[in-house]
Amino acid sequence: MAENTGKLAGRTIFITGASRGIGKAIALKAARDGANVVIAAKTDQPHPKLPGTIYTAAKEIVDAGGKCLPCVVDVRNESQIQAAIDAAVERFGGIDILINNASAINTVGTLATDMKRYDLMMNINTRGTFLTSKLCLPHLIKGKNPHILNISPPLNMKPHWFSNHVAYTMAKYGMSMCVLGMAEEFKQEGIAVNALWPRTAIITAAMEMLGGSDVAKQCRKTDIMADAAYVILTKDSRNFTGNFCIDDAVLKDVGVTDFDQYAVEPGHSLIPDFFLDADIPESAVEGEEAKSESFGGDSDTSKTLNAVKSMLTEELVGKVGGVFQFDLKGDDGGKYYLDLKNGGGALGSGEPADVKVDCTMILKTADFNKMFSGKLKPATAFMMGKLKIKGDMGKAMKLEKLLNTMKTKL
């Protein structure tokens, strides 16, 4: 891990969306140096499903050795941002660091994106980042080793990062474009403006609620982002600006070699995050040959379908609890359904007659076969743009439970 050095002692850090998750992890890392932390987030009352408020986070920060000012802030509201900045300056004498962490996500296609969701993402991600930066900049100019750090990705222009969720990509890339522009604009003032993005999925309360333990063990902990942010924020602001940083690369540069310490389950494969191109491991899963011959032909798809059908049990249905529709494109394509909600399960061609589909997956037949042979995880396929998902994302993640039980060699 990146050790605390005390370099942030007495520095004032304004963090949006820091009541939980990555934002809170960065706040706690800074607090261990004795930093002043301003939590600018919406949650002042307990959420029914997600833990933490600005006040519980503030207590943790103080217990870790820092000072804290919790402020109720919706980054869409200019007056709330300004009030929090004014309170921070009055309490701590200025602002040295801004971390734009608040974000909204909705990874669906154009036709499924309602304008309320579109506006939410654009107003929190792009507008909120620009506005908070604009209002903090007069104080950052006077700050000590001033930094702006946006939790946003590198600007990867490959079409598949747009085609599956163009609204979200536009909103998130807006944060990254703030880095590109403001780094150059404020270089002469000595203000560093950088971006930080995780290599892999990061486990947070929201991610855990959505996908459960099967997804959690494929993630890294928030500590890796906190350590990487700390390394960036303690660099000389005049000599490190305009960078799009990846968490583990930042840590490798300062000599960190043990990354199992950041894994939820050390040694387990990890889900790559959005906007980063990664190689898909091609190792096959060994096991018994499929015995069922319900689907004729010698094609890989027929073999896969027969193998899946042979694995259906009431126990498996109890674990997954969802009905899936597969819309396969390309050679040997077609529509197939997989009922893992009723009885002992069912698999057939076409659409299910008497049950509601929870989740539709659209992908190429080759990728479908890879998914069910263990060569391609659904979450990875989705992140890489190989898989489109309509409906219940939580059910899609639970499909991992089926794939983890497959013992078929294809």
Side-chain angles (χ1 to χ4, degrees):
M1 64 181 295
E3 298 293 339
N4 280 75
T5 62
K7 290 181 179 180
L8 297 182
R11 307 274 298 288
T12 299
I13 305 175
F14 191 102
I15 311 179
T16 65
S19 58
R20 60 178 69 92
I22 291 171
K24 189 181 80 169
I26 295 173
L28 289 170
K29 181 72 175 179
R32 295 183 191 106
D33 263 10
N36 307 318
V37 179
V38 182
I39 298 176
K42 292 194 302 180
T43 309
D44 61 340
Q45 299 295 324
H47 189 281
K49 294 183 179 179
L50 299 174
T53 68
I54 58 173
Y55 304 113
T56 59
K59 183 180 185 305
E60 291 183 59
I61 289 165
V62 171
D63 290 346
K67 296 178 181 178
C68 189
L69 176 64
C71 298
V72 177
V73 174
D74 182 337
V75 295
R76 295 172 292 179
N77 188 315
E78 183 173 358
S79 63
Q80 288 185 3
I81 300 170
Q82 189 62 64
I85 291 170
D86 293 343
V89 173
E90 182 177 355
R91 172 84 174 270
F92 300 123
I95 296 173
D96 302 299
I97 295 169
L98 166 64
I99 299 174
N100 287 304
N101 170 69
S103 188
I105 180 172
N106 190 37
T107 53
V108 298
T110 300
L111 295 177
T113 303
D114 61 74
M115 294 314 294
K116 183 177 179 180
R117 287 285 185 181
Y118 177 91
D119 290 341
L120 179 72
M121 289 189 288
M122 295 300 284
N123 286 336
I124 291 177
N125 299 3
T126 302
R127 183 180 183 275
T129 294
F130 181 88
L131 177 57
T132 307
S133 301
K134 170 183 166 66
L135 296 179
C136 282
L137 274 162
H139 303 286
L140 292 168
I141 288 172
K142 297 180 286 187
K144 179 182 178 183
N145 197 36
H147 282 259
I148 295 175
L149 182 62
N150 294 350
I151 307 304
S152 65
L155 292 165
N156 187 337
M157 291 296 155
K158 290 189 177 178
H160 67 259
W161 292 122
F162 293 82
S163 61
N164 294 322
H165 38 71
V166 64
Y168 172 63
T169 300
M170 288 165 63
K172 205 65 190 176
Y173 278 17
M175 297 177 70
S176 300
M177 292 173 74
C178 286
V179 171
L180 200 62
M182 292 180 189
E184 190 67 23
E185 182 178 1
F186 295 98
K187 184 182 292 185
Q188 295 304 313
E189 284 79 6
I191 300 174
V193 187
N194 296 290
L196 176 62
W197 193 245
R199 174 87 59 193
T200 71
I202 301 294
I203 190 60
T204 62
M207 175 74 87
E208 209 159 12
M209 181 180 70
L210 181 64
S213 60
D214 277 0
V215 169
K217 64 187 180 183
Q218 299 175 61
C219 299
R220 283 174 171 165
K221 295 177 282 189
T222 55
D223 294 349
I224 191 169
M225 287 291 284
D227 282 1
Y230 184 85
V231 171
I232 294 168
L233 298 174
T234 53
K235 289 181 179 288
D236 183 352
S237 63
R238 290 189 174 275
N239 295 321
F240 192 83
T241 188
N243 300 287
F244 292 89
C245 305
I246 305 302
D247 55 0
D248 56 7
V250 170
L251 295 173
K252 285 178 184 176
D253 284 346
V254 294
V256 176
T257 57
D258 177 15
F259 289 93
D260 276 348
Q261 65 180 309
Y262 298 114
V264 172
E265 185 174 308
H268 201 284
S269 59
L270 299 168
I271 302 171
D273 206 351
F274 287 94
F275 310 117
L276 301 180
D277 297 322
D279 294 329
I280 306 297
E282 293 294 335
S283 56
V285 178
E286 295 191 3
E288 299 176 356
E289 296 288 336
K291 298 177 181 178
S292 173
E293 297 295 333
S294 299
F295 293 89
D298 295 325
S299 70
D300 288 343
T301 302
S302 294
K303 291 178 182 178
T304 298
L305 292 168
N306 286 321
V308 173
K309 190 165 186 177
S310 73
M311 299 297 294
L312 298 181
T313 64
E314 289 187 8
E315 180 184 3
L316 190 60
V317 168
K319 288 181 178 179
V320 180
V323 179
F324 303 89
Q325 181 83 50
F326 296 95
D327 188 353
L328 306 184
K329 306 296 184 183
D331 294 340
D332 205 24
K335 288 188 176 183
Y336 300 91
Y337 67 88
L338 177 60
D339 183 349
L340 293 175
K341 181 183 284 185
N342 302 291
L347 176 65
S349 59
E351 300 179 359
D354 301 317
V355 296
K356 178 184 176 182
V357 172
D358 295 302
C359 177
T360 298
M361 298 185 172
I362 305 168
L363 70 166
K364 294 179 179 179
T365 52
D367 292 326
F368 172 81
N369 294 326
K370 286 181 180 179
M371 273 181 23
F372 281 91
S373 66
K375 297 177 182 178
L376 178 63
K377 292 182 179 295
T380 302
F382 179 75
M383 295 286 191
M384 294 291 293
K386 296 175 180 288
L387 168 65
K388 292 184 180 180
I389 299 175
K390 297 180 180 178
D392 191 331
M393 181 68 76
K395 298 295 185 190
M397 289 184 171
K398 284 189 175 182
L399 187 62
E400 296 271 0
K401 291 186 176 182
L402 171 64
L403 303 186
N404 289 338
T405 67
M406 289 295 296
K407 302 294 182 182
T408 305
K409 184 178 181 181
L410 297 177

